[in-house]
Amino acid sequence: MKIRNFYYILLGILTFSVVACEEANEWGVDTSHDRLFRSTKFEVKETNPTSALLSFRGVTNATKYVFDFSEGDSLLFNNIVFTTNILADTLTAYNKETSEVKTEYHVLFLNLNGTTRYSVRLKAVDENTGMESGYVQLCFDTTDEQIFTTVTPGTTNVSLNWQADKKATRIEYGELVKTEIEGEEAKTDTIWLLRMSLRQRSNKPENW
């Protein structure tokens, strides 16, 4: 008798489970979460005075990737200097994997300024549906760029020469100062005295 009752109870539970599974889910859905996933990897591979090589992993269904570059801040994006759109079908995989989310891409960005901090953010876009991913972001510093070919000092000025295809954006003047402290070995430091900003290219010596 007990075994038969147990059988009926078990049959009732299974019947309820089947009915429950067939019922439609009527819970509300937050449409703000209906979007592409973020890239699972975004990093700097190499920096030079005027360029940076960035690496990222692909995003499923993305037709393009959008890069925003902000200059002079750390992930604040208060000074976006340029935005670049790269179509997904123009990219060549650096490390091709079986799935897009594991495939790695490298992109070289040129025409950056030397000795500058950049913040970069990346999002994926599906142009067919209008869906976008959230941002992933990073920051890096470009290295110093020395473009002078010759430096000729004069009595009250100095002539600086550089190639016509180069652009000087900043000139800094420094003096070597020796500091002597009693009982310690003298130290020599560079004291930067002046910073000059230039706005145009030149193929002639600049007197300064």
Side-chain angles (χ1 to χ4, degrees):
M1 188 67 178
K2 291 183 178 180
I3 295 177
R4 182 176 298 178
N5 290 339
F6 175 77
Y7 171 78
Y8 288 137
I9 293 173
L10 180 59
L11 181 61
I13 293 174
L14 292 175
T15 303
F16 175 80
S17 298
V18 171
V19 173
C21 290
E22 291 177 351
E23 292 180 356
N25 180 5
E26 297 181 355
W27 296 339
V29 177
D30 187 351
T31 57
S32 65
H33 293 287
D34 187 17
R35 60 188 182 189
L36 301 183
F37 289 102
R38 292 179 175 89
S39 174
T40 59
K41 178 183 179 182
F42 186 39
E43 63 183 20
V44 181
K45 284 296 184 181
E46 180 181 325
T47 58
N48 293 296
T50 59
S51 65
L53 182 65
L54 304 185
S55 169
F56 68 97
R57 285 182 179 161
V59 174
T60 302
N61 295 329
T63 61
K64 74 174 181 180
Y65 297 92
V66 181
F67 296 81
D68 291 328
F69 279 72
S70 181
E71 187 175 301
D73 61 35
S74 298
L75 305 180
L76 298 176
F77 297 95
N78 292 328
N79 183 34
I80 296 178
V81 290
F82 68 90
T83 297
T84 299
N85 297 311
I86 299 180
L87 298 179
D89 59 8
T90 64
L91 289 168
T92 300
Y94 175 79
N95 185 18
K96 183 68 175 179
E97 296 289 345
T98 54
S99 65
E100 184 66 12
V101 296
K102 294 182 179 179
T103 297
E104 184 177 353
Y105 298 96
H106 287 184
V107 180
L108 179 64
F109 293 91
L110 304 173
N111 300 319
L112 304 181
N113 294 324
T115 325
T116 302
R117 168 153 291 194
Y118 285 95
S119 296
V120 189
R121 62 187 182 188
L122 163 66
K123 70 177 179 180
V125 178
D126 182 353
E127 297 169 292
N128 299 317
T129 63
M131 294 173 60
E132 301 182 355
S133 73
Y135 283 105
V136 289
Q137 54 194 28
L138 55 79
C139 65
F140 63 88
D141 297 313
T142 53
T143 55
D144 294 334
E145 180 186 19
Q146 177 58 275
I147 65 172
F148 300 141
T149 54
T150 60
V151 178
T152 307
T155 305
T156 59
N157 61 11
V158 61
S159 294
L160 308 174
N161 296 278
W162 60 88
Q163 296 177 357
D165 62 343
K166 301 292 185 180
K167 183 179 180 180
T169 57
R170 186 174 70 247
I171 296 176
E172 296 185 9
Y173 167 67
E175 289 185 354
L176 293 176
V177 178
K178 181 176 288 187
T179 304
E180 295 186 2
I181 301 176
E182 186 177 353
E184 297 184 9
E185 184 178 353
K187 296 181 179 180
T188 301
D189 295 315
T190 301
I191 305 299
W192 299 103
L193 303 175
L194 181 64
R195 177 176 294 185
M196 176 187 295
S197 295
L198 301 180
R199 294 185 178 179
Q200 61 185 14
R201 296 171 183 242
S202 175
N203 58 2
K204 299 179 181 179
E206 292 290 337
N207 292 328
W208 186 51

